[in-house]
Amino acid sequence: ALAHSSRARQRPLTGEVVVGMADQELLYPIAVLIDELKHEDIQLRLNSIRRLSTIAVALGVERSRNELIPFLNESIDEEDEVLLALSEELGNLVEYVGGPEHASVLLTPLETLATVEETTVRDKAMESLNKVARALSVPHVLEYFVPLVRRLASNDWFTSRISACGLFAVAYARLPPDAKGEIRTSFTQLCHDDTPMVRRAAAANLGKLATAVHQAGEIALLKSELLPLFTALSSDEQDSVRLLAVQNCVSIAKVLSIAENQAVVLPVVRAVSQDRSWRVRYVVAEHLCELVPSLGEDLTRHEMAPTFVRLLQDPEAEVRSAAAMKLTVFAHMLVPEMVLTQIMPCVTEMCGDQSQHVRASLASVVMGLAPIIGRAATNQRLLPLFLSLLNDEFPEVRLNIIGTLPSANTSLGADMLATSLLPAVTELAEDRQWRGGLPGNLYKPPP
């Protein structure tokens, strides 16, 4: 290895290496990689960045700390693609700079990367910062990581404050009370930041901090400090902030009792499910099934079922499509009678929906209702809908319904499958216009 060769003599972080002939073959590729870190060709720089661990092994832990990391920090690239790769690789270098005891040296270049304008680079830098923070000892967290978060959170440039939002939770449980108080105060300020994108970042990370506070056993602080933030963000003037309240509902509901969820989370669910922005309602449709168990069976029957029906009938096709995809999951939380009286009328209506995407979503899940409502109701009410979707004018709808045939076989029975479905499928398989899209197992004869 380069760092261990007694005959290797190098200038600081350069590819120029003076070695004996026996070592030349081994060292040459490493020297090339080091030189490529500064090359004009972006692809060569990328190649070298992605092999930072190889360079670090060759240099050894001391030279990696004292030369490689400072070099990377001083020569931050202008190309987003290179910055993204660097953000990822730095998070994997803890063991190559001497382990947790010296991992703090990685924080400086990552802090710089966490302030850049490109979102993907910042996100990857935050991910790596969290990874490094988990490796740090408590004294080093207090000495290096907490001041880093403080600087980012108070920076005038909004990108820094956005990055700070993703760093509060990772080390919270290991901090002393005064540092925890500073973390919560700083996070509260960001939740009320003037810049919507910062509030959005705070909303996206509120659930993580709430979980960390709960795991630290600070239930009273969770209720007195974080729940008011949750309520405020869920009614933010920006829909991009409000829609994240739904995901916060899921995280916060997991750490509260059913009674507390009914008092705190339920009002938010009521509001966002009828939000004026379809994007917010779309997220509700995606996540409602995750929330329902935390609200109790009684509320599920009397309030969440009507909420779900409302989403199935939403004016926006995107919302109806998202709700349709959760149809079977939600139906499993209800008694069969409620599925028949409240859900099935919506399913019948959606079979004729003007949007092909809604019908395609419905087609991919509709036969999952069969085991819930029973064979008789399936034959009487579900089978006609199945046949209707099977003859839909759009191929995606037909393909999705055909993909549910295995469950149809179980629910309908062989006789009904042979008399009602098999002729329709056979006709479809003979349609040359789109037969190539049929699953291969439809051509196989029954055993």
Side-chain angles (χ1 to χ4, degrees):
L2 179 60
H4 298 121
S5 172
S6 60
R7 292 174 290 177
R9 294 183 286 104
Q10 296 176 301
R11 302 186 183 105
L13 206 68
T14 174
E16 298 178 22
V17 184
V18 180
V19 296
M21 291 298 293
D23 293 327
Q24 189 171 3
E25 235 178 87
L26 173 67
L27 297 176
Y28 179 72
I30 304 300
V32 170
L33 285 175
I34 293 173
D35 281 344
E36 286 178 354
L37 285 172
K38 303 170 287 185
H39 204 281
E40 292 182 2
D41 189 324
I42 182 176
Q43 199 56 48
L44 292 177
R45 295 203 304 278
L46 268 174
N47 174 64
S48 192
I49 289 292
R50 288 174 179 146
R51 299 186 65 182
L52 275 180
S53 58
T54 303
I55 296 175
V57 167
L59 291 174
V61 294
E62 186 173 349
R63 291 196 66 197
S64 293
R65 289 197 304 270
N66 298 334
E67 298 176 29
L68 177 61
I69 302 304
F71 169 80
L72 292 172
N73 188 52
E74 292 168 5
S75 56
I76 292 294
D77 207 286
E78 295 182 357
E79 297 289 343
D80 290 337
E81 192 176 358
V82 177
L83 295 180
L84 181 61
L86 180 59
S87 298
E88 181 176 6
E89 293 302 323
L90 283 171
N92 300 323
L93 292 182
V94 172
E95 64 178 293
Y96 300 104
V97 296
E101 184 180 353
H102 299 283
S104 59
V105 301
L106 298 169
L107 297 179
T108 301
L110 284 171
E111 180 178 357
T112 303
L113 291 164
T115 66
V116 302
E117 190 171 348
E118 175 56 40
T119 302
T120 56
V121 176
R122 291 201 312 272
D123 288 345
K124 189 58 69 173
M126 280 190 290
E127 183 181 321
S128 290
L129 278 167
N130 282 319
K131 187 183 295 187
V132 173
R134 283 189 284 269
L136 294 175
S137 63
V138 173
H140 281 190
V141 169
L142 291 170
E143 184 178 356
Y144 300 108
F145 189 72
V146 171
L148 179 152
V149 176
R150 188 185 299 129
R151 288 192 298 272
L152 290 175
S154 59
N155 198 305
D156 290 338
W157 192 239
F158 73 93
T159 55
S160 298
R161 302 198 300 278
I162 288 174
S163 294
C165 293
L167 303 175
F168 288 108
V170 63
Y172 183 87
R174 296 192 287 159
L175 298 176
D178 57 337
K180 287 180 177 178
E182 180 186 354
I183 288 290
R184 295 194 305 274
T185 300
S186 183
F187 186 78
T188 298
Q189 292 171 349
L190 294 176
C191 285
H192 297 291
D193 197 276
D194 292 337
T195 305
M197 287 180 287
V198 176
R199 297 199 304 275
R200 174 180 167 82
N205 288 280
L206 176 59
K208 296 176 184 177
L209 183 58
T211 301
V213 171
H214 181 267
Q215 289 174 346
E218 300 169 346
I219 309 301
L221 288 172
L222 170 65
K223 295 178 181 178
S224 64
E225 296 187 24
L226 296 189
L227 290 187
L229 298 178
F230 165 62
T231 303
L233 291 169
S234 67
S235 57
D236 192 274
E237 61 181 13
Q238 296 287 328
D239 62 354
S240 63
V241 178
R242 294 196 307 276
L243 64 85
L244 290 167
V246 182
Q247 297 174 19
N248 286 326
C249 283
V250 176
S251 299
I252 289 176
K254 292 178 180 178
V255 301
L256 298 178
S257 67
I258 288 180
E260 290 168 337
N261 283 326
Q262 292 175 355
V264 177
V265 176
L266 180 60
V268 174
V269 175
R270 286 173 178 156
V272 293
S273 66
Q274 302 181 68
D275 196 276
R276 62 183 180 275
S277 168
W278 71 266
R279 291 178 178 84
V280 177
R281 301 195 304 274
Y282 176 89
V283 178
V284 175
E286 281 194 316
H287 293 279
L288 188 64
C289 293
E290 301 171 56
L291 276 169
V292 167
S294 302
L295 297 173
E297 293 182 7
D298 190 56
L299 266 177
T300 298
R301 289 194 298 270
H302 294 100
E303 186 150 358
M304 290 300 98
T307 297
F308 186 70
V309 167
R310 192 163 55 245
L311 293 168
L312 290 172
Q313 298 172 331
D314 195 273
E316 294 293 334
E318 289 86 351
V319 179
R320 298 196 301 275
S321 182
M325 289 298 295
K326 302 296 180 180
L327 185 67
T328 301
V329 178
F330 192 87
H332 275 288
M333 302 178 188
L334 305 175
V335 296
E337 183 181 352
M338 289 191 69
V339 176
L340 287 169
T341 58
Q342 296 190 36
I343 303 299
M344 281 303 300
C346 296
V347 174
T348 302
E349 184 178 345
M350 293 173 79
C351 273
D353 196 283
Q354 292 181 349
S355 168
Q356 69 189 75
H357 302 295
V358 174
R359 299 197 305 277
S361 296
L362 178 66
S364 64
V365 300
V366 67
M367 284 309 295
L369 295 175
I372 302 172
I373 63 177
R375 181 166 293 188
T378 296
N379 292 343
Q380 181 181 357
R381 301 184 62 175
L382 209 54
L383 181 59
L385 304 181
F386 188 100
L387 292 171
S388 173
L389 293 169
L390 192 61
N391 290 293
D392 195 275
E393 61 180 314
F394 287 96
E396 184 183 359
V397 179
R398 301 196 296 266
L399 280 172
N400 285 355
I401 199 69
I402 280 190
T404 67
L405 277 176
S407 59
N409 182 32
T410 303
S411 305
L412 295 173
D415 293 341
M416 185 63 68
L417 194 66
T419 57
S420 300
L421 293 184
L422 193 56
V425 173
T426 301
E427 181 180 347
L428 208 56
E430 293 171 353
D431 186 344
R432 293 186 177 183
Q433 185 175 355
W434 74 287
R435 184 174 58 192
L438 282 170
N441 59 5
L442 289 183
Y443 296 106
K444 297 178 182 177

